[in-house]
Amino acid sequence: MANVAKKVSWSGRDRDDDEDGRAGETTPLLNGTGPGAAGSARQLTSSSFLRIGQLSNVDLNEDIHELETELPRQRPNEIPHNEKLLSLKYESLDYDNSENQLFLEEERRINHAAFRTVEIKRWVICAMIGILTGLVACFIDIVVENLAGLKYRVVKDNIDKFTAKGGLSFSLLLWATLNASVVMVGSVIVAFIEPVAAGSGIPQIKCYLNGVKIPHVVRLKTLVIKVCGVILSVVGGLAVGKEGPMIHSGSVIAAGISQGRSTSLKRDFKIFEYFRRDTEKRDFVSAGAAAGVSAAFGAPVGGVLFSLEEGASFWNQFLTWRIFFASMISTFTLNSVLSVYHGNAWDLSSPGLINFGKFDSEKMVYTIQEIPIFIFMGVVGGILGALFNALNYWLTMFRIRYIHRPCLQVVEAMLVAAVTATVGFVMIYCSRDCQPIQGSSVAYPLQLFCADGEYNSMATAFFNTPEKSVVNLFHDPPGSYNPMTLGMFTLMYFFLACWTYGLTVSAGVFIPSLLIGAAWGRLFGISLSYLTKGSIWADPGKYALMGAAAQLGGIVRMTLSLTVIMMEATGNVTYGFPIMLVLMTAKIVGDYFVEGLYDMHIQLQSVPFLHWEAPVTSHSLTAREVMSTPVTCLRRIERVGTVVDILSDTSSNHNGFPVVESNPNTTQVAGLRGLILRSQLIVLLKHKVFVERANLNLVQRRLKLKDFRDAYPRFPPIQSIHVSQDERECMIDLSEFMNPSPYTVPQEASLPRVFKLFRALGLRHLVVVDNRNEVVGMVTRKDLARYRLGKEGLEELSLAQT
């Protein structure tokens, strides 16, 4: 197949321009063909070298593509995709502070009072994160409640009208058209404006906290599209939830608040300038993710544990307390606003977007004999979760290959919305499960062909937002659902939810998973009650809760945080032990077959994600075999023209340059003296910090760290910096700006040792030196992420510009 320039984003959307703005540059195919790819995935060899100059294309200015004209190019009908690839388009974040002279001088100038002020600002930012996240959650909940209520009333009135005089096909057409129209708007804004807003956003935030720079993931525009998109997705009747995207929304809010400015609005409020670096931003994003969970489920402790278990790759004790504070503020804000909105201002009865309701401890007790039954439900949840993930995996591969154009993605979303409405209508039409309306809590009871005073039980599942359907399955009294109704609903909703996850819409998978599990769990409880002749302990609501936990655990594979979230959402500690057993069993069984849903989608996007540990069988590999070489080094006093040429060379766009002590008149390289980043060199060239200008007193003032923070996070491209021919002959002294103590490893160090150092410290560059302290290579994220344990032993992934 011909080599074409194609990229696949999280939503599967192709982009014609590279992220660093070089429109028209040809890149290899996703299957690794073409220049720059490392070929097909192969078994490990004794030595594997890759030029560091070919490792990555730096993303210095995400907005530069707006200034370039796109070159016309042919769009392929199919994008081949190989799961054993590692993308070169993802950059790392600089989590390691550069302890250069400027940094040390600033630290010396700051006294104890100034440090206290910085700490107070951290708490203020966390409070603001919690408040704004809670307000965003309130906005989503209120708008969804009103729009969805309006849609269901219109459809219900139409069905009631045509049930009497015939012509229900018009009702079906109305329902499908309403769903498809609303979802079309939600899909268009995602596909054409901000594709990274698709899905729940949890995989992207997980990658960001791991140290991977996902373009546009924490921008204001992404937040706006995310919020509008999730409202339209839920109102459009898709098998989605609004809780998952709250994690992404909270993270975007945290990233924006902590920087004190917005690049989208082009406003700088001149506050919180101290936190303008990747390390500080990462900590606040962790707090934002926790606040999002807290607002979604009313579970502040669960939010902290979620951020620890699923999100943050780096943690410390002080961060825990600030994150818990942000989570509590988020829950309190949501609770206060929604309580006022619902008319119980002093009651505080709405702790989260979804509240599972109080379970009656007397009726819902469990005995020791039920423990094996709960474990069995965990096994079922693990198997069903693995099936869900496997089906979604092949569906996502199909989407990447064939549905990569925005227009096709919108059409698919509309198709799913129409099919969802059609399936719901047909199941309601065919169902004869009639229940008495007295004492029921159904919001939109649909009579259809039932007798007066009765409603169609199947309609309660489809004529409700998924959150309310989950609560109904938990708390409706025994006998509210026919076993056939639950069985058919579980089967159809399982496939609808699987088809829906991965569409180019903003949507979460938490609530659909809970709804599927609650349906088959309640069915399991009904069956158990029938087999045990109506024993009081076989309450269907209790088994609906365990089924929901088993299904969600089998899909997303969370244990600790999900246990606490479920406990906090039910308000009952009694179920902590059985929920924990169910989740652990579901995870163990599911992991035997396939990975969790979030990890699977990270892998499908070829992101260089670093797990907690190196592959267990990789001790035989050394740094010499995994490092990238040769490395472009700079002398401590370097010619400006040389620096400009290195930064302008598109074939070697790496971001860290070892600084060596060497005589400019010789080619012999001496020992390592430090490390300087591309972004730092860009700022130096922009301010023309040259030795000759300093000698002539042409430099207005010495650079400070503030100059580097003002340029953060999108540093100007080298092409925008004008350097005259005379200036090219000047010299630039890097001593003051380089990090004089970069982390290094000897070339004989084993891969697990290198991995542990790199991963634990959140590094971006790890210099490999020989016994004379001379630079022999560089280890970056992609060098470590490309080794993984496969079914046939240790595998090496191919590197390609995807």
Side-chain angles (χ1 to χ4, degrees):
M1 176 164 293
N3 184 27
V4 291
K6 271 294 163 186
K7 301 188 72 174
V8 178
S9 69
W10 284 93
S11 62
R13 172 184 172 184
D14 55 294
R15 293 204 175 196
D16 290 339
D17 53 326
D18 200 343
E19 284 299 333
D20 61 1
R22 292 192 306 280
E25 181 181 339
T26 303
T27 55
L29 279 174
L30 280 166
N31 65 354
T33 59
S40 59
R42 61 189 183 277
Q43 289 297 318
L44 212 59
T45 57
S46 60
S47 179
S48 176
F49 292 117
L50 181 71
R51 288 185 58 87
I52 192 169
Q54 297 173 349
L55 264 181
S56 57
N57 289 325
V58 65
D59 184 6
L60 292 176
N61 187 2
E62 296 175 359
D63 294 329
I64 190 173
H65 61 80
E66 299 173 1
L67 306 176
E68 306 241 0
T69 57
E70 294 186 4
L71 298 179
R73 62 183 71 192
Q74 186 178 1
R75 291 176 179 269
N77 293 324
E78 174 188 355
I79 294 183
H81 186 70
N82 185 345
E83 64 185 50
K84 294 184 178 180
L85 280 182
L86 208 59
S87 175
L88 294 174
K89 75 176 181 180
Y90 294 110
E91 290 300 320
S92 293
L93 294 163
D94 292 301
Y95 284 167
D96 180 36
N97 288 326
S98 178
E99 296 182 352
N100 53 22
Q101 291 184 24
L102 299 183
F103 177 82
L104 297 178
E105 288 173 6
E106 182 182 79
E107 293 291 302
R108 294 190 194 101
R109 286 197 303 269
I110 298 179
N111 55 24
H112 181 70
F115 273 118
R116 292 290 300 272
T117 304
V118 168
E119 191 62 23
I120 291 172
K121 285 181 179 179
R122 286 195 175 98
W123 286 93
V124 171
I125 291 172
C126 286
M128 294 172 67
I129 290 169
I131 292 171
L132 288 177
T133 303
L135 291 176
V136 168
C138 292
F139 175 77
I140 292 174
D141 189 61
I142 292 170
V143 175
V144 165
E145 181 181 339
N146 285 279
L147 291 181
L150 176 63
K151 186 192 79 170
Y152 289 131
R153 282 193 296 271
V154 169
V155 176
K156 176 185 179 301
D157 293 343
N158 191 271
I159 291 177
D160 289 341
K161 172 185 173 184
F162 283 105
T163 301
K165 65 178 187 179
L168 279 172
S169 55
F170 291 103
S171 301
L172 168 60
L173 188 62
L174 173 67
W175 193 0
T177 303
L178 280 175
N179 274 18
S181 301
V182 173
V183 169
M184 180 188 72
V185 178
S187 182
V188 164
I189 61 175
V190 171
F192 287 94
I193 300 178
E194 197 54 86
V196 79
S200 65
I202 295 175
Q204 293 94 314
I205 295 303
K206 190 173 178 180
C207 290
Y208 182 90
L209 295 175
N210 188 257
V212 183
K213 184 177 184 178
I214 308 295
H216 301 185
V217 72
V218 289
R219 294 181 65 177
L220 177 62
K221 185 168 70 171
T222 304
L223 174 64
V224 174
I225 300 300
K226 195 84 180 182
V227 170
C228 297
V230 73
I231 290 172
L232 294 167
S233 299
V234 176
V235 172
L238 292 175
V240 299
K242 58 181 183 285
E243 281 68 22
M246 277 308 306
I247 296 165
H248 191 179
S249 300
S251 300
V252 179
I253 291 169
I257 292 296
S258 64
Q259 302 304 293
R261 66 179 176 190
S262 170
T263 50
S264 298
L265 299 177
K266 295 180 172 55
R267 291 289 304 275
D268 190 343
F269 300 99
K270 303 297 181 183
I271 56 174
F272 307 141
E273 294 178 349
Y274 181 80
F275 306 117
R276 291 177 184 175
R277 57 179 185 264
D278 287 339
T279 316
E280 297 284 354
K281 196 173 181 180
R282 174 198 68 204
D283 291 345
F284 289 118
V285 169
S286 299
V293 175
S294 181
F297 297 97
V301 178
V304 175
L305 294 176
F306 174 87
S307 192
L308 172 61
E309 181 182 9
E310 278 295 301
S313 299
F314 312 97
W315 201 263
N316 63 63
Q317 185 177 1
F318 301 107
L319 184 62
T320 307
W321 189 232
R322 289 200 300 270
I323 288 180
F324 182 62
F325 176 69
S327 298
M328 291 296 295
I329 293 291
S330 176
T331 298
F332 180 76
T333 302
L334 178 86
N335 206 341
S336 303
V337 175
L338 286 186
S339 296
V340 171
Y341 175 75
H342 292 305
N344 352 319
W346 307 105
D347 194 15
L348 296 180
S349 55
S350 304
L353 292 183
I354 179 171
N355 183 13
F356 294 156
K358 297 291 182 183
F359 284 83
D360 192 339
S361 299
E362 295 180 2
K363 293 182 180 178
M364 301 282 285
V365 294
Y366 67 93
T367 60
I368 195 72
Q369 295 95 328
E370 292 180 87
I371 297 297
I373 299 175
F374 294 148
I375 294 175
F376 174 75
M377 293 183 73
V379 172
V380 174
I383 294 173
L384 290 178
L387 176 62
F388 184 99
N389 292 357
L391 291 174
N392 191 260
Y393 173 87
W394 294 110
L395 183 59
T396 305
M397 290 284 286
F398 178 83
R399 284 179 173 136
I400 290 174
R401 287 172 174 168
Y402 298 103
I403 313 179
H404 47 267
R405 300 182 186 178
C407 54
L408 292 177
Q409 294 167 347
V410 174
V411 170
E412 187 198 14
M414 294 174 63
L415 175 64
V416 174
V419 169
T420 302
T422 304
V423 168
F425 185 87
V426 170
M427 291 180 67
I428 293 171
Y429 184 82
C430 297
S431 173
R432 294 294 181 268
D433 184 8
C434 298
Q435 301 292 337
I437 203 168
Q438 287 83 7
S440 70
S441 58
V442 183
Y444 309 102
L446 191 65
Q447 183 178 353
L448 207 59
F449 300 117
C450 294
D452 291 340
E454 294 184 334
Y455 69 96
N456 188 302
S457 182
M458 180 68 82
T460 61
F462 286 100
F463 266 73
N464 249 330
T465 55
E467 291 86 354
K468 291 181 180 176
S469 298
V470 170
V471 176
N472 289 341
L473 287 168
F474 285 166
H475 295 289
D476 281 353
S480 299
Y481 297 92
N482 188 300
M484 182 62 72
T485 299
L486 291 173
M488 290 299 298
F489 175 78
T490 301
L491 182 65
M492 299 309 299
Y493 206 81
F494 180 90
F495 289 107
L496 285 174
C498 186
W499 189 12
T500 303
Y501 189 79
L503 289 177
T504 312
V505 294
S506 297
V509 76
F510 270 81
I511 299 304
S513 304
L514 289 173
L515 184 51
I516 295 167
W520 68 256
R522 190 175 182 98
L523 176 62
F524 185 86
I526 293 173
S527 305
L528 205 61
S529 179
Y530 177 76
L531 292 174
T532 57
K533 302 293 190 295
S535 295
I536 189 168
W537 54 265
D539 186 277
K542 173 172 55 179
Y543 287 96
L545 176 64
M546 296 304 158
Q551 186 66 53
L552 183 54
I555 290 175
V556 300
R557 309 289 162 76
M558 294 189 303
T559 51
L560 176 63
S561 58
L562 201 52
T563 301
V564 176
I565 288 172
M566 297 287 283
M567 285 169 52
E568 289 185 280
T570 56
N572 196 327
V573 186
T574 309
Y575 300 116
F577 182 66
I579 288 174
M580 183 189 70
L581 279 180
V582 165
L583 288 171
M584 287 179 60
T585 308
K587 175 177 172 57
I588 293 169
V589 173
D591 284 341
Y592 179 78
F593 297 102
V594 293
E595 287 185 300
L597 191 64
Y598 300 141
D599 290 330
M600 188 184 73
H601 277 262
I602 290 172
Q603 180 182 320
L604 279 171
Q605 293 301 328
S606 305
V607 179
F609 186 88
L610 295 181
H611 295 279
W612 289 102
E613 298 289 342
V616 292
T617 59
S618 59
H619 285 82
S620 59
L621 284 173
T622 63
R624 184 194 296 111
E625 295 171 293
V626 304
M627 68 185 183
S628 299
T629 186
V631 183
T632 301
C633 297
L634 295 174
R635 297 181 178 90
R636 189 176 59 81
I637 300 178
E638 187 61 270
R639 197 171 67 91
V640 172
T642 303
V643 175
V644 172
D645 291 340
I646 289 174
L647 297 181
S648 303
D649 186 3
T650 57
S651 66
S652 59
N653 277 342
H654 42 293
N655 291 277
F657 302 91
V659 180
V660 297
E661 188 68 66
S662 178
N663 188 337
N665 300 321
T666 66
T667 58
Q668 183 181 1
V669 177
L672 176 69
R673 292 294 178 265
L675 182 78
I676 193 162
L677 303 178
R678 170 183 285 265
S679 56
Q680 294 173 313
L681 292 172
I682 290 284
V683 174
L684 296 183
L685 291 175
K686 179 182 177 181
H687 290 274
K688 302 191 184 300
V689 186
F690 307 148
V691 173
E692 287 78 5
R693 289 172 61 88
N695 293 337
L696 296 174
N697 293 324
L698 293 177
V699 179
Q700 301 276 334
R701 60 179 175 81
R702 288 185 67 236
L703 282 187
K704 297 181 180 179
L705 279 184
K706 182 180 183 301
D707 298 297
F708 295 90
R709 290 170 182 154
D710 286 342
Y712 176 86
R714 289 195 282 279
F715 296 91
I718 184 62
Q719 292 82 2
S720 68
I721 297 176
H722 176 69
V723 179
S724 67
Q725 193 60 41
D726 291 339
E727 289 173 334
R728 287 179 61 88
E729 300 304 321
C730 295
M731 305 301 289
I732 185 169
D733 189 351
L734 306 178
S735 306
E736 189 179 3
F737 311 101
M738 69 181 186
N739 183 1
S741 55
Y743 292 100
T744 63
V745 290
Q747 55 187 343
E748 292 79 19
S750 66
L751 175 59
R753 184 172 290 270
V754 174
F755 188 99
K756 189 176 296 183
L757 177 65
F758 193 98
R759 174 69 169 72
L761 298 177
L763 303 182
R764 184 174 186 175
H765 309 96
L766 184 57
V767 184
V768 182
V769 296
D770 60 12
N771 53 8
R772 295 178 296 177
N773 199 36
E774 293 180 0
V775 179
V776 294
M778 181 88 81
V779 174
T780 62
R781 170 177 295 273
K782 284 129 187 161
D783 296 318
L784 299 176
R786 60 181 171 155
Y787 296 99
R788 76 176 184 195
L789 195 61
K791 294 181 180 179
E792 300 177 0
L794 198 61
E795 294 178 342
E796 181 185 356
L797 306 184
S798 299
L799 295 169
Q801 185 71 41
T802 59

